[in-house]
Amino acid sequence: MAQHPFPIETVAIALGDRSYDIQIGAGLLARPETWAGLPKAQAAMIVTNDTVAPLYEAQLRTALAPHYKQIHTVVLPDGEAHKDWQTLNLIFDALLARGCDRKTVLFALGGGVIGDMTGFAAASYMRGVPFVQVPTTLLSQVDSSVGGKTAINHPLGKNMIGAFYQPVRVVCDLDTLKTLPERELSAGLAEVIKYGPIADMDFLAWIEAHIGALMAREPAALAHAVKRSCEIKAWVVGQDEREAGLRAILNFGHTFGHAVEAGLGFGVWLHGEAVGCGMVMAAELSQRLGKVDAGFVTRLKALIERAGLPVRGPVLHASDNAGDYIAHMRLDKKAVGGDIQFVVINGPGQAAVQGAPDAVVRDVIDACCA
Amino acid sequence: MAQHPFPIETVAIALGDRSYDIQIGAGLLARPETWAGLPKAQAAMIVTNDTVAPLYEAQLRTALAPHYKQIHTVVLPDGEAHKDWQTLNLIFDALLARGCDRKTVLFALGGGVIGDMTGFAAASYMRGVPFVQVPTTLLSQVDSSVGGKTAINHPLGKNMIGAFYQPVRVVCDLDTLKTLPERELSAGLAEVIKYGPIADMDFLAWIEAHIGALMAREPAALAHAVKRSCEIKAWVVGQDEREAGLRAILNFGHTFGHAVEAGLGFGVWLHGEAVGCGMVMAAELSQRLGKVDAGFVTRLKALIERAGLPVRGPVLHASDNAGDYIAHMRLDKKAVGGDIQFVVINGPGQAAVQGAPDAVVRDVIDACCA
């Protein structure tokens, strides 16, 4: 086999005996070295959805064939609406029907929903089997495949039931992003942009300079964006695996974004779209709390807009929109005893978690909703 | 408050940052010191069942009142048949309906089923909240409340979905055993007896000398039996928390016992009853493999019988009983690639895990079933 022209980048996630590598590169699915050294087992189970399966399932199956005697596949319905117990149980049904033992390796082939559900299934099946993330969306490559958060939704709340459970490897094949719908590419960029204001203003400047290349899906630009995002997230998660403190800064834009998603009904706006306008609101809040200047807010807003994302929040309630936002935010998992916790920018490249006076939050919402 | 006449015994479970204490004593529910020093939270949620709730829920609620502003209770239907997702979800429903945050402390008040379900709910709710085990059966005091195994059943297999998740404390109030049905007391003694042949022949001799006192529920005898069982289990689990090797010896009698439970239908025989005759079969297998003498088997069998437990397995299949047992054992979670793993006694007080020729296993089953 000829040398592949595009290098493989690796980000090491250091979590003691739960450490693992993220591999980033073009054409990884087809490269034999990608799949070397995984845990030995009789059987592998590919978990994917009905959108991704026709695109990449055969390729992954071929790649895994030298390593596992049996390769099973379970195809779930696509979409956040199916991130529930009923769908999760399809994975358990398949594992048990095929007599899969506690060494079976699960492969999550798809976006964040597939990753979350496969991860929770792996955490829970026989109290834990190994799993590999093969994220095929930008969002899952830069965010949900790093950090070991797995979950399903409950009718009364998103991601309410889950586990902290680390994969044994993450394989980010940039070629899989070629088939990503435009809207999902933008949604992924929201999480890429996020890492700038909370941790690395040089990276923010790099994104501003390369937003065109990213929107055009140029592999070199995507590789750097994915790698740097994973590095920053790894640095944060490495210090706070179970979200006792620092890790919460990764939720920049997510508190307001959560209200958008919950208020409109989950799935109406993509998560990344809600985070897009949520970051504008969180930046606006930071400014009103005297932590950043107006120029910072304008700059961030312009980049979010160039990434094809909404910069204004939707109106959730005709007469008391701010009240509706606040009510949703109080129910957020991150609220403590009913007090909403916001990630604010303490200064460019530095974030902190804190409460804020209701009146200020109301002003922000009033100023930022269309 | 007057000094309580009966001392509190403590067994420390050393698992690094997941370490916890098991408290053992009479009247612990009502003693304030039992509940000191638990994690602080706004809310506690007592999880119990419709048999235990009328007996002890009010007492626990009173004891917790000084520590938590809100104390909620969810009452589940009693029995192994309800150890499923639908019932587990009642806990999540209650937590979410009451707006319980990720600091909420769960209290498992009941037997092994309540402990398993509450533990898995605690492991999964918002990816992990603290929980306290308050086991009210002998079986759960000596076995299922130590070691962090939590799970629910799946229609295709028992304990197939769960987590390794440690409680922050275990409170074994020996007074709660006064209300235990006779049959469940015997079932609990099966797990007590188990610790002798696998780890401590002195303890086996002590049980033989005190089986009458144990059957009469004398607190001093119960306290020693619970304490020594927990110590042995703690010693084993401390060396192998996630069941990579040594921990499997705790399954002495459980491979054959699993076939009995699965073959008759779960719940027809109590788990401890199946383990009772399962230990006789495992001892018989050990003898046929040349590891112990006939006297050892006879001695163990006599004690199991004195504990009020069955010493012969049921006939699961009229024409091919041994084949039926073996088929069930192959589906056991502990089988690896279809090979049944047996816990055998390598010599009095020493256990090992190994396979065995089908012909020998068949002979054992033929010899040991009524």
Side-chain angles (χ1 to χ4, degrees):
Chain A
M1 191 179 174
Q3 189 65 32
H4 200 285
F6 202 87
I8 301 181
E9 303 271 10
T10 299
V11 178
I13 309 290
L15 293 167
D17 61 358
R18 297 179 303 289
S19 297
Y20 63 93
D21 280 350
I22 303 174
Q23 299 182 356
I24 303 158
L28 289 189
L29 275 180
R31 291 158 84 163
E33 62 267 41
T34 305
W35 311 105
L38 289 173
K40 302 236 172 291
Q42 291 277 317
M45 170 74 74
I46 300 170
V47 183
T48 186
N49 66 38
D50 46 20
T51 304
V52 175
L55 298 170
Y56 303 112
E57 190 268 344
Q59 202 179 341
L60 179 56
R61 176 176 282 270
T62 303
L64 297 180
H67 302 283
Y68 303 98
K69 209 182 277 184
Q70 297 149 28
I71 299 172
H72 310 294
T73 299
V74 56
V75 179
L76 308 179
D78 188 12
E80 180 84 26
H82 300 285
K83 204 172 105 171
D84 57 13
W85 171 262
Q86 283 71 23
T87 309
L88 181 74
N89 209 32
L90 297 176
I91 307 176
F92 297 131
D93 290 346
L95 287 164
L96 287 164
R98 269 79 177 242
C100 290
D101 65 20
R102 57 170 65 167
K103 294 198 178 286
T104 307
V105 184
L106 270 52
F107 289 81
L109 176 69
V113 171
I114 285 293
D116 275 11
M117 287 207 289
T118 309
F120 188 41
S124 308
Y125 185 63
M126 295 192 178
R127 301 192 188 95
V129 295
F131 86 112
V132 176
Q133 292 268 22
V134 189
T136 60
T137 67
L138 183 58
L139 182 72
S140 58
Q141 290 189 355
V142 301
D143 184 58
S144 46
S145 66
V146 190
K149 279 193 184 180
T150 72
I152 55 170
N153 300 330
H154 181 282
L156 296 178
K158 208 182 148 179
N159 291 327
M160 285 297 173
I161 302 164
F164 287 97
Y165 195 71
Q166 306 296 341
V168 294
R169 186 172 297 170
V170 177
V171 176
C172 298
D173 186 337
L174 301 170
D175 284 350
T176 62
L177 304 182
K178 290 180 185 165
T179 50
L180 199 63
E182 196 80 16
R183 210 179 140 192
E184 288 197 38
L185 184 76
S186 290
L189 286 173
E191 300 281 1
V192 175
I193 291 168
K194 173 188 83 178
Y195 292 109
I198 65 167
D200 185 350
M201 291 301 285
D202 289 346
F203 185 45
L204 190 72
W206 181 90
I207 303 168
E208 289 173 323
H210 295 82
I211 187 72
L214 291 166
M215 298 289 280
R217 309 180 198 212
E218 289 179 14
L222 288 172
H224 182 74
V226 172
K227 186 182 183 204
R228 188 70 195 125
S229 298
C230 289
E231 281 172 351
I232 295 171
K233 183 154 187 184
W235 172 77
V236 172
V237 171
Q239 293 174 81
D240 179 22
E241 186 180 356
R242 298 184 72 88
E243 201 163 24
L246 179 72
R247 183 166 177 167
I249 68 167
L250 298 174
N251 293 316
F252 177 59
H254 285 58
T255 309
F256 290 103
H258 173 84
V260 171
E261 288 185 272
L264 293 176
F266 286 98
V268 177
W269 281 28
L270 294 176
H271 175 68
E273 292 169 337
V275 169
C277 68
M279 287 193 288
V280 176
M281 291 191 240
E284 181 83 24
L285 177 65
S286 307
Q287 189 204 338
R288 285 174 192 248
L289 295 173
K291 291 166 187 295
V292 292
D293 60 23
F296 178 85
V297 181
T298 307
R299 179 182 170 189
L300 185 62
K301 194 169 162 180
L303 180 59
I304 292 168
E305 195 154 28
R306 287 177 67 201
L309 292 162
V311 291
R312 295 187 69 76
V315 174
L316 300 178
H317 191 283
S319 61
D320 185 17
N321 186 50
D324 206 50
Y325 267 78
I326 289 170
H328 282 296
M329 292 192 287
R330 277 200 213 291
L331 290 178
D332 191 78
K333 196 159 66 268
K334 293 169 286 282
V336 177
D339 289 334
I340 308 169
Q341 298 293 304
F342 295 95
V343 182
V344 297
I345 303 303
N346 249 344
Q350 281 201 326
V353 179
Q354 62 168 71
D358 261 19
V360 181
V361 175
R362 284 180 171 273
D363 285 349
V364 167
I365 294 163
D366 289 342
C368 292
C369 288
Chain B
M1 192 177 173
Q3 188 67 30
H4 201 284
F6 201 87
I8 301 183
E9 303 271 11
T10 299
V11 178
I13 309 289
L15 293 168
D17 61 359
R18 296 178 303 288
S19 297
Y20 63 93
D21 279 350
I22 303 174
Q23 299 181 356
I24 303 158
L28 289 189
L29 275 181
R31 292 159 83 163
E33 61 267 41
T34 305
W35 311 106
L38 289 174
K40 303 238 172 289
Q42 292 276 315
M45 170 74 73
I46 300 171
V47 183
T48 186
N49 66 38
D50 46 20
T51 304
V52 176
L55 298 169
Y56 302 113
E57 191 268 344
Q59 203 179 341
L60 179 56
R61 176 176 282 271
T62 302
L64 297 180
H67 301 283
Y68 303 98
K69 209 182 275 183
Q70 298 149 29
I71 299 172
H72 310 293
T73 299
V74 56
V75 179
L76 308 180
D78 188 12
E80 179 84 26
H82 299 286
K83 204 171 105 171
D84 57 13
W85 172 260
Q86 284 71 24
T87 309
L88 180 74
N89 208 34
L90 297 176
I91 307 177
F92 296 132
D93 290 346
L95 287 164
L96 286 165
R98 269 81 177 240
C100 290
D101 65 19
R102 57 170 65 166
K103 293 198 179 288
T104 308
V105 184
L106 270 53
F107 290 81
L109 177 68
V113 172
I114 286 292
D116 274 10
M117 287 207 290
T118 309
F120 188 41
S124 308
Y125 185 62
M126 295 191 177
R127 302 194 187 93
V129 296
F131 86 112
V132 176
Q133 293 266 25
V134 189
T136 60
T137 66
L138 183 57
L139 182 72
S140 58
Q141 291 188 357
V142 300
D143 183 59
S144 46
S145 68
V146 190
K149 277 193 187 182
T150 73
I152 55 171
N153 300 330
H154 181 280
L156 295 178
K158 209 180 146 179
N159 291 327
M160 286 296 172
I161 301 164
F164 287 98
Y165 196 72
Q166 305 296 340
V168 295
R169 186 171 297 170
V170 178
V171 175
C172 298
D173 186 336
L174 301 170
D175 284 350
T176 61
L177 303 182
K178 290 179 184 164
T179 50
L180 198 63
E182 197 79 18
R183 212 181 138 191
E184 289 196 37
L185 183 75
S186 290
L189 286 173
E191 299 281 1
V192 174
I193 292 168
K194 172 187 84 177
Y195 292 108
I198 65 168
D200 184 351
M201 291 301 285
D202 288 347
F203 185 45
L204 190 72
W206 180 90
I207 302 168
E208 290 173 322
H210 295 82
I211 188 71
L214 291 167
M215 298 287 281
R217 307 180 199 214
E218 288 178 15
L222 288 172
H224 182 74
V226 172
K227 187 183 182 204
R228 188 69 194 125
S229 298
C230 289
E231 282 172 349
I232 295 171
K233 182 154 187 184
W235 171 78
V236 172
V237 171
Q239 293 173 80
D240 179 22
E241 186 180 356
R242 297 185 73 89
E243 201 163 23
L246 179 71
R247 184 166 177 167
I249 68 167
L250 298 172
N251 293 316
F252 177 59
H254 285 58
T255 309
F256 289 103
H258 172 85
V260 171
E261 288 184 273
L264 292 176
F266 287 97
V268 178
W269 280 28
L270 294 176
H271 175 70
E273 293 169 336
V275 169
C277 68
M279 288 192 288
V280 176
M281 291 191 240
E284 182 82 24
L285 177 64
S286 306
Q287 188 204 338
R288 286 174 192 247
L289 294 173
K291 291 166 186 295
V292 292
D293 60 24
F296 177 86
V297 181
T298 307
R299 179 182 170 190
L300 185 62
K301 193 170 164 179
L303 180 58
I304 291 167
E305 192 153 32
R306 288 176 67 201
L309 292 163
V311 291
R312 296 188 68 75
V315 174
L316 300 179
H317 192 282
S319 61
D320 184 18
N321 186 49
D324 206 51
Y325 267 78
I326 288 172
H328 282 297
M329 292 192 286
R330 277 201 212 290
L331 289 177
D332 192 76
K333 195 160 65 271
K334 293 171 284 285
V336 177
D339 289 335
I340 308 169
Q341 297 292 304
F342 295 96
V343 182
V344 298
I345 302 304
N346 249 344
Q350 280 202 326
V353 179
Q354 62 169 71
D358 261 19
V360 180
V361 175
R362 283 179 172 274
D363 285 351
V364 167
I365 295 164
D366 289 342
C368 291
C369 288

